[in-house]
């Protein structure tokens, strides 16, 4: 059996009827978008607790609810990485309260919080990383919204 050497917790994060993402800009690379989240740390009691911590660090946000909906496995040199993808609803957002260390490191590039319509068409128009996540979201917008208790109307 291959060992899991890295875990991360990420959110398909809805705020009202919009998807909240981070737009990454780095010198010499085209902009791309990522979901909110990051690595699970040793002192995180659970993977979901890691997600709550990451949402606060990156957005100054608090989650209303989160449901595990998808896993992505990454082949790494010394084992595998598993990205635990949650569908989550954002209860509050305060960018002034975010605490992530990456925001104070200009050499890591830009981290712009963006809101996009939660539709398959809008997700497909982005360079959302990883591509597996983009495909999953685009194929499952109605199911994800339903899990979170908010039907979304495709426009």
């Amino acid at each position: 059996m291959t060992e899991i050497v890295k875990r991360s917790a990420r959110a398909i994060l809805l705020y009202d009827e919009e998807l909240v993402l981070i737009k990454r800009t780095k010198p010499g690379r085209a902009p791309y978008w990522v979901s909110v989240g990051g690595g699970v740390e040793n002192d995180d009691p659970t993977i979901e607790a890691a997600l709550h911590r990451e949402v606060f660090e990156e957005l100054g946000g608090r989650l209303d609810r989160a449901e595990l909906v998808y896993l992505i496995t990454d082949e790494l040199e010394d084992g595998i990485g598993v990205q635990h993808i949650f569908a989550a609803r954002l209860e509050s957002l305060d960018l002034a309260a975010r605490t992530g260390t990456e925001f104070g490191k200009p050499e890591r590039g830009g981290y712009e919080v963006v809101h996009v319509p939660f539709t398959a068409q809008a997700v497909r128009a982005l360079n959302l990383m990883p591509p597996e996540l983009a495909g999953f979201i685009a194929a499952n917008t109605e199911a994800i919204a339903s899990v979170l208790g908010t039907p979304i109307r495709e426009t």
Side-chain angles (χ1 to χ4, degrees), residues 29-150:
R29 181 171 178 180
Y32 63 98
W33 288 256
V34 296
S35 58
V36 173
V40 175
E41 297 176 359
N42 289 335
D43 58 347
D44 289 321
T46 65
I47 295 165
E48 186 176 335
L51 177 67
H52 286 265
R53 176 185 50 73
E54 287 286 343
V55 166
F56 187 77
E57 287 177 5
E58 294 183 9
L59 302 175
R62 303 247 183 247
L63 295 179
D64 176 44
R65 61 182 296 189
E67 300 278 339
L68 181 66
V69 294
Y70 190 55
L71 297 173
I72 297 173
T73 302
D74 301 306
E75 297 291 330
L76 305 173
E77 277 187 30
D78 52 350
I80 60 172
V82 178
Q83 296 184 52
H84 300 259
I85 310 297
F86 291 82
R89 178 159 302 289
L90 193 58
E91 180 179 287
S92 64
L93 172 74
D94 180 3
L95 295 180
R98 62 187 185 175
T99 61
T101 57
E102 61 269 30
F103 305 114
K105 298 180 179 178
E107 68 275 10
R108 293 195 62 183
Y111 291 83
E112 179 187 353
V113 176
V114 295
H115 298 246
V116 299
F118 188 59
T119 65
Q121 180 180 2
V123 170
R124 285 187 190 106
L126 299 173
N127 183 17
L128 179 61
M129 296 292 167
E132 304 96 316
L133 179 57
F136 175 79
I137 294 171
N140 293 284
T141 54
E142 288 183 33
I144 293 164
S146 182
V147 163
L148 296 174
T150 304

Side-chain angles (χ1 to χ4, degrees), residues 14-19 89 116-119 150-153:
L14 297 184
Y15 192 51
D16 294 324
E17 290 190 11
E18 294 182 310
L19 180 62
R89 178 159 302 289
V116 299
F118 188 59
T119 65
T150 304
I152 300 293
R153 289 177 292 280

